[in-house]
């Protein structure tokens, strides 16, 4: 019924295998042709046998490298061992000691660059499928209707306000609630989850899962106030006047960037944010059952090479369009996850690589008709270390399209920052926060996630949420934000880096 | 849920609702807007704040029913509730004492002009208001506007009430006579376009409030982008008020028409089903 994506086994057998050498366990997926026409989840997840088999591949390293690759420091070997032993309930409980979003992270984390990159098994063969196992444990809990809850400390009688219910905000709120703080999250939209609900499509992350994870955080005692725009409905200063003794700003990346080429304001040109928000948050893919409309398009151009571009392209495809992805560099430089690029290609997205748009041409009614592009070739490496794309003279050509989706990143949203006094910003408008403590220039105010780093990943935002919770706890207990050991560790690391630089 | 505390029908198409939203009312200022969503399957629609009462914790909106959502909202009355009500959004009007100010409102645009005119008056300005509509039945808030104005001019396109002319005629006369320091013109795109065309000749600063299509209303989606002085701006975070002499109204109006066919499809289905959601799936 379903395709099984069989991963390649390692090339050569090890000399002294401690365990029988098994290839990485494949995961069932909806066949590409079938899934290209629906919004159901692409990857279907392990069953118990698959999970146990995959878990048995884990070497249970004494000094696990995978944990170091995890921004939130999940005890990976421990939860995998519990799956192998058939105790899924204990496995999810173990996960929840460290993460509030296991079902989400198991699906959207770039494990290949984090935990799985460091997996010792991965040196000789394919690494353990840590992400798939995390997802299995989380889905097992949901399927079995149980909900393990970690221990919640006695009330500390102090209140914290969190701005934004995305991965950073919810993680921070969950951690603080477990420590015994009263936490209120303020969310501007009508649903909690931030980018997980408005940005990431249903077929990659079902919204019921996001809702379930948010419900879990509420079950820890966190209050989520929806329809609350901090900076408009309430200012940060008013939040503190109302009794929050500390505030964590995790309001996300914000404004979509455009390319500043002619024709970008024509009808039928979307930012990826708008296109995805219409489809995901507002469920425009179910119009007219849902009221929000979306221009479907017969032929759609998606500009960009990141995960958001892939999400936009695959959404447009499912709405029934022929989709052309336009990216100015080559496949190697694409910032999207390999898995997403692979899925997109399998589903029939047409890749126009080393191609750059120069203008969008409209008809008499103001609607998109064509996009003009030029060929690019790769020159010398630029500041990002990637080879700089250079225009090939005389290569202009036009592609007829009726919808263009611009997915070239975001800028900081000024809405909150402009209405908050005493908050230092960098030249791009992002909030300046100490990289170790996340404290801002404003007393009692911490910040993390995309509003500090610019658009990044879900798990990095969760990592920031955890760091913020630790700092806020120490701040409210009147302790130094960093322990002596932590300061020592940072000092040593900086010293080493300086030595290294000097040696060069 | 946000409760509707009062509702008044002004005509077959235009109605006023008072919504209980204490947090929004506490922060609301003239010139700002709200976004509302009627129910779980609903779209988010932006509406300019027509009035607010901080003590009562209410926001007043005046709506012209054109599509499905505004028709549905029209059916809701006192005691009913809507799912979401978010605000206040956008930047408030810059209220200062500048001297003599004209506040011109066209159609339902009179409602958002009202709190601005009131604030300008309170700030010590001389306020001359122009209340314009296509015909007498579409005129609204004439009395409320009179209370906050030193002078009030009423115009209708068909002459059924007040002066038989377009809003631009008294505007031109007042500019011609001189002594005008600032003009607010709020209404349909075409009305604002021609008001700005009229006042530009006299070099009198004219502020307009743009009503573009939005989704989130907080800067995230960029649906509301407009061209102001050749630069792309987001109405939700950079506006909704702009220097009208810099606004590309043709682009604004073109972008407002983006979903006409879907809006029609949705409304037809709504009418056909008599508002019963189950038949729309």
């Amino acid at each position: 019924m379903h395709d099984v994506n069989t991963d390649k086994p390692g090339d050569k057998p090890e000399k002294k295998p401690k365990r029988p050498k098994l290839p990485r366990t494949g995961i069932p997926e909806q066949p590409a042709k079938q899934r290209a026409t629906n919004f159901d989840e692409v990857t279907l997840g392990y069953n118990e046998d698959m999970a146990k088999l995959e878990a048995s591949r884990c070497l249970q390293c004494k000094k696990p490298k995978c944990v170091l690759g995890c921004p939130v420091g999940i005890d990976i070997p421990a939860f995998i061992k519990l799956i192998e032993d058939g105790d899924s309930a204990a496995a999810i409980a173990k996960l929840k000691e460290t993460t509030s979003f296991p079902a989400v992270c198991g699906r959207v984390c770039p494990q290949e660059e984090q935990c799985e990159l460091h997996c010792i098994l991965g040196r000789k063969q394919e690494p353990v499928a840590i992400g798939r196992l995390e997802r299995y444990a989380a889905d097992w809990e949901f399927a079995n209707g149980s909900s393990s809850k970690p221990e919640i400390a006695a009330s500390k009688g102090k209140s914290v306000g969190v701005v934004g219910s995305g991965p950073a905000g919810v993680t921070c709120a969950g951690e603080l609630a477990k420590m015994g703080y009263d936490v209120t999250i303020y969310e501007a939209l009508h649903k909690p989850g931030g980018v997980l609900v408005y940005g990431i499509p249903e077929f990659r992350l079902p919204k019921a899962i996001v809702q379930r994870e948010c419900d879990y955080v509420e079950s820890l005692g966190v209050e989520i106030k929806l329809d609350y725009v901090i900076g408009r409905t309430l200012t940060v200063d008013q939040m503190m006047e109302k009794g929050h003794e500390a505030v964590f700003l995790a309001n996300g990346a914000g404004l979509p960037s455009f390319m500043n080429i002619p024709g970008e304001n024509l009808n039928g040109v979307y930012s990826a944010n708008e296109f995805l928000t219409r489809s995901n948050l507002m469920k425009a893919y179910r119009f007219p059952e849902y009221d929000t409309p979306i221009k479907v398009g017969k032929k759609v151009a998606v500009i960009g090479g990141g995960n958001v571009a892939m999400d936009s392209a695959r959404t447009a495809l499912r709405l029934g369009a022929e989709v052309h992805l336009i990216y100015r560099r080559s496949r190697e430089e694409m910032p999207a996850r390999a898995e997403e690029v692979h899925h997109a290609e399998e589903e029939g997205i047409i890749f126009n690589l080393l191609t750059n748009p120069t203008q969008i041409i409209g008809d008499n009614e103001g609607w998109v008709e064509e996009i003009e592009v030029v060929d690019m070739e790769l020159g010398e490496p630029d500041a990002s270390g990637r080879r700089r794309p250079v225009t090939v003279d005389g290569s202009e050509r036009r592609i007829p399209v009726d919808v263009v989706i611009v997915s070239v990143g975001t800028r900081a949203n000024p809405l909150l920052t402009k209405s908050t006094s005493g908050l230092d910003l960098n030249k791009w408008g992002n909030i300046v926060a100490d990289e170790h403590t996340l404290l801002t220039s404003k007393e009692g105010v911490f910040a993390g996630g995309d509003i500090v780093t610019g658009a990044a990943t879900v798990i990095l935002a969760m990592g920031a949420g955890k760091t913020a919770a630790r700092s806020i706890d120490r701040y409210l207990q009147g302790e130094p934000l960093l322990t002596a050991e932590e300061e020592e560790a940072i000092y040593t690391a900086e010293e080493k880096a300086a030595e290294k630089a000097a040696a060069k | 849920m946000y409760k509707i505390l009062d509702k008044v029908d002004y005509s077959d198409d235009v109605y006023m609702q008072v919504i209980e939203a204490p947090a929004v009312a506490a922060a609301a200022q003239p010139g700002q807007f709200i976004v509302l969503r009627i129910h779980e399957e609903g779209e988010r629609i932006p509406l300019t704040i027509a009035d607010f009462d901080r003590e009562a914790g209410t926001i007043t909106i005046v709506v012209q029913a054109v599509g499905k959502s505004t028709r549905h909202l029209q059916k809701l009355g006192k005691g009913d509730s809507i799912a979401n009500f978010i605000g206040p959004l956008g930047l408030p009007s810059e209220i200062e004492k500048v001297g003599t100010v004209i506040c011109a409102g066209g159609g339902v645009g009179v409602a958002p002009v009202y709190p601005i005119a009131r604030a300008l008056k309170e700030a010590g300005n001389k306020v001359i208001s122009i209340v314009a509509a296509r015909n007498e039945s579409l005129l609204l808030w004439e009395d409320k506007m009179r209370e906050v104005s030193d002078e009030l001019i009423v115009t209708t396109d068909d002459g059924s009430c007040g002066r038989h002319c377009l809003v631009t005629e008294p505007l031109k006369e007042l500019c011609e006579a001189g002594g005008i320091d600032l003009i607010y013109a709020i209404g349909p795109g075409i009305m604002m376009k021609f008001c700005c065309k009229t006042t530009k000749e006299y070099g009198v600063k004219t502020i307009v409030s743009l009503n573009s299509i939005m989704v989130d209303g907080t800067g995230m989606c960029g649906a509301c982008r407009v061209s102001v002085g050749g630069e792309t701006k987001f109405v939700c975070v950079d506006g909704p008020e702009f220097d009208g002499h810099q606004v590309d109204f043709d682009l604004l109006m073109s972008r407002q028409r983006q979903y006409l066919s879907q809006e029609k499809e949705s409304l037809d289905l709504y009418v056909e089903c008599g508002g019963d959601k189950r038949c729309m799936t």
Side-chain angles (χ1 to χ4, degrees):
Chain A
M1 191 175 79
H2 301 298
D3 286 354
V4 171
N5 168 10
T6 41
D7 297 311
K8 273 187 288 175
D11 304 322
K12 290 172 192 167
E14 283 177 285
K15 279 178 188 167
K16 286 181 198 166
K18 284 184 184 166
R19 292 167 178 250
K21 193 176 148 301
L22 290 167
R24 186 168 153 118
T25 314
I27 194 161
E29 286 175 352
Q30 267 200 81
K33 266 198 177 156
Q34 179 187 318
R35 71 182 192 239
T37 60
N38 68 47
F39 277 82
D40 299 337
E41 201 170 7
V42 168
T43 319
L44 301 168
Y46 283 156
N47 61 29
E48 192 180 347
D49 290 341
M50 291 170 175
K52 277 182 163 172
L53 187 67
E54 183 59 23
S56 75
R57 295 179 66 232
C58 177
L59 300 174
Q60 292 295 319
C61 303
K62 287 279 178 296
K63 286 184 181 169
K65 295 270 191 247
C66 53
V67 179
L68 301 176
C70 174
V72 295
I74 291 172
D75 188 348
I76 294 165
F79 95 81
I80 291 182
K81 184 78 177 77
L82 290 164
I83 292 179
E84 189 186 356
D85 294 346
D87 193 351
S88 302
I92 185 65
K94 177 56 76 183
L95 277 161
K96 282 186 169 178
E97 284 174 11
T98 1
T99 169
S100 303
F101 274 162
V104 173
C105 288
R107 286 170 166 84
V108 303
C109 264
Q111 290 100 8
E112 66 280 2
E113 295 169 13
Q114 298 174 347
C115 52
E116 294 179 13
L117 178 70
H118 298 280
C119 174
I120 300 298
L121 197 61
R123 291 184 185 171
K124 288 282 169 73
Q125 42 172 307
E126 287 282 302
V128 175
I130 300 167
R132 294 172 181 179
L133 290 170
E134 181 181 22
R135 170 182 168 170
Y136 162 77
D139 288 358
W140 177 89
E141 181 179 50
F142 189 51
N144 287 275
S146 68
S147 179
S148 64
K149 240 194 262 179
E151 216 170 291
I152 293 174
S155 171
K156 289 202 162 74
K158 284 177 188 287
S159 161
V160 180
V162 173
V163 181
S165 66
V170 169
T171 301
C172 178
E175 292 297 310
L176 288 169
K178 284 191 268 181
M179 296 177 201
Y181 291 99
D182 295 332
V183 188
T184 306
I185 299 180
Y186 297 86
E187 168 55 50
L189 292 171
H190 58 264
K191 272 197 167 60
V195 71
L196 306 177
V197 285
Y198 75 74
I200 302 178
E202 180 78 17
F203 55 83
R204 216 149 68 72
L205 179 63
K207 299 310 140 211
I209 286 170
V210 180
Q211 188 60 52
R212 193 211 317 165
E213 308 267 41
C214 291
D215 289 347
Y216 164 73
V217 171
E218 280 185 300
S219 79
L220 302 177
V222 172
E223 185 188 357
I224 303 181
K225 278 186 189 283
L226 301 172
D227 299 346
Y228 244 91
V229 186
I230 300 302
R232 291 278 189 267
T233 317
L234 211 60
T235 64
V236 173
D237 287 328
Q238 286 170 330
M239 286 174 72
M240 303 194 95
E241 282 162 25
K242 280 184 186 279
H244 297 309
E245 291 168 67
V247 168
F248 179 48
L249 305 176
N251 50 314
L255 311 184
S257 292
F258 287 87
M259 296 169 294
N260 291 320
I261 60 171
E264 271 182 310
N265 291 337
L266 285 165
N267 288 343
V269 181
Y270 286 108
S271 71
N273 265 7
E274 181 185 356
F275 191 75
L276 291 172
T277 301
R278 283 181 181 273
S279 182
N280 300 329
L281 177 72
M282 306 309 297
K283 302 234 181 304
Y285 68 90
R286 285 164 71 178
F287 178 87
E289 182 197 343
Y290 282 73
D291 293 339
T292 303
I294 193 164
K295 166 87 178 171
V296 174
K298 289 190 179 67
K299 202 165 164 182
V300 176
V302 176
I303 300 160
N307 287 320
V308 177
M310 296 303 145
D311 285 346
S312 304
R314 296 170 71 196
T315 297
L317 181 92
R318 280 160 173 77
L319 289 168
E322 176 187 310
V323 184
H324 290 254
L325 189 98
I326 297 175
Y327 179 55
R328 66 197 183 116
R329 303 184 196 241
S330 71
R331 179 178 302 249
E332 229 168 79
E333 289 87 15
M334 271 195 173
R337 287 183 73 187
E339 185 186 326
E340 303 307 325
V341 177
H342 167 72
H343 276 152
E345 200 158 42
E346 239 182 18
E347 288 165 11
I349 306 292
I350 301 155
F351 283 58
N352 297 259
L353 302 172
L354 287 166
T355 308
N356 202 29
T358 48
Q359 64 167 318
I360 304 165
I361 300 115
D363 64 14
N364 293 334
E365 307 279 304
W367 281 92
V368 172
E369 207 169 41
E370 289 176 312
I371 184 163
E372 185 183 274
V373 298
V374 287
D375 291 335
M376 308 295 278
E377 57 189 12
L378 293 178
E380 294 300 306
D382 63 11
S384 73
R386 299 179 298 179
R387 292 175 66 194
R388 184 195 301 276
V390 186
T391 305
V392 177
D393 288 336
S395 62
E396 293 85 2
R397 62 180 193 282
R398 290 181 174 191
I399 307 171
V401 290
D402 51 1
V403 167
V404 175
I405 302 167
V406 182
S407 179
V408 296
T410 53
R411 298 173 284 143
N413 192 332
L415 191 151
L416 180 140
T417 51
K418 272 197 178 166
S419 67
T420 310
S421 61
L423 204 56
D424 285 354
L425 308 178
N426 67 15
K427 63 176 169 175
W428 298 285
N430 293 102
I431 298 174
V432 177
D434 182 274
E435 62 173 317
H436 303 293
T437 66
L438 299 182
L439 180 66
T440 68
S441 55
K442 196 172 169 73
E443 172 78 30
V445 177
F446 298 77
D450 284 1
I451 188 62
V452 171
T453 58
T457 60
V458 169
I459 190 72
L460 280 174
M462 288 179 57
K466 265 191 112 88
T467 304
R470 192 179 55 223
S471 289
I472 289 171
D473 176 42
R474 288 176 185 168
Y475 170 77
L476 293 178
Q477 297 310 315
E479 295 164 11
L481 294 184
L482 290 174
T483 62
E485 295 82 50
E486 283 164 344
E487 275 198 45
E488 180 65 29
I490 292 164
Y491 179 72
T492 315
E494 279 171 359
E495 217 170 37
K496 271 188 185 165
E499 272 171 26
K500 229 179 179 179
K504 267 187 184 173
Chain B
M1 298 294 272
Y2 301 81
K3 213 170 186 181
I4 299 170
L5 299 182
D6 195 13
K7 189 218 173 184
V8 178
D9 283 301
Y10 292 142
S11 70
D12 288 347
D13 299 326
V14 179
Y15 55 95
M16 181 274 282
Q17 283 177 345
V18 178
I19 318 275
E20 185 177 42
V24 184
Q29 292 180 67
Q32 292 185 298
F33 66 94
I34 57 94
V35 164
L36 68 79
R37 197 175 71 124
I38 301 173
H39 53 67
E40 197 46 41
E41 290 80 24
E43 61 185 328
R44 292 169 67 101
I45 49 173
L47 293 164
T48 317
I49 293 171
D51 204 357
F52 51 87
D53 185 332
R54 294 196 181 124
E55 273 173 33
T58 60
I59 296 283
T60 301
I61 51 173
V62 174
V63 188
Q64 180 159 23
V66 281
K68 183 203 161 179
S69 296
T70 43
R71 281 288 171 211
H72 187 164
L73 188 62
Q74 189 179 21
K75 281 198 175 173
L76 304 180
K78 198 171 168 174
D80 290 328
S81 291
I82 54 176
N84 307 96
F85 196 83
I86 302 117
L89 299 170
L91 301 171
S93 310
E94 283 176 33
I95 305 294
E96 283 169 4
K97 185 176 177 184
V98 292
T100 303
V101 186
I102 300 177
C103 291
V108 287
V110 173
V113 161
Y114 170 71
I116 298 169
R118 181 175 60 191
L120 286 167
K121 177 80 183 151
E122 279 167 9
N125 293 287
K126 179 182 177 191
V127 175
I128 303 172
S129 294
I130 309 173
V131 174
R134 286 206 308 276
N135 59 54
E136 188 177 10
S137 76
L138 295 173
L139 269 179
L140 57 94
W141 285 21
E142 200 186 320
D143 294 342
K144 285 183 80 145
M145 285 299 285
R146 193 179 313 268
E147 277 172 34
V148 299
S149 309
D150 294 277
E151 206 178 300
L152 182 84
I153 301 161
V154 175
T155 71
T156 51
D157 297 3
D158 68 353
S160 51
C161 185
R163 288 179 58 176
H164 183 183
C165 63
L166 296 175
V167 61
T168 45
E169 205 172 291
L171 198 55
K172 192 178 171 68
E173 290 162 11
L174 288 164
C175 287
E176 191 75 53
I180 306 297
D181 300 292
L182 180 68
I183 296 168
Y184 266 89
I186 303 178
I190 193 80
M191 172 259 182
M192 293 191 284
K193 177 182 171 175
F194 281 96
C195 284
C196 291
K197 217 173 166 182
T198 305
T199 62
K200 198 172 183 178
E201 273 179 52
Y202 301 94
V204 184
K205 188 175 178 185
T206 305
I207 298 182
V208 293
S209 177
L210 306 184
N211 49 345
S212 48
I213 293 172
M214 293 182 188
V215 185
D216 62 292
T218 62
M220 198 185 77
C221 82
C224 62
R225 56 196 193 276
V226 287
S227 178
V228 181
E231 241 184 276
T232 296
K233 298 277 182 193
F234 288 7
V235 172
C236 66
V237 288
D238 299 319
E241 293 180 359
F242 294 98
D243 175 353
H245 295 154
Q246 306 288 321
V247 172
D248 181 344
F249 286 102
D250 294 334
L251 179 69
L252 174 81
M253 288 186 278
S254 168
R255 289 185 62 78
Q256 283 171 338
R257 289 191 295 267
Q258 271 195 80
Y259 295 103
L260 276 190
S261 67
Q262 287 100 325
E263 280 163 16
K264 188 177 179 311
E265 181 189 348
S266 190
L267 181 62
D268 288 350
L269 198 56
Y270 177 74
V271 173
E272 201 179 297
C273 298
D276 185 350
K277 233 165 44 191
R278 281 165 301 180
C279 103
M280 295 182 201
T281 54

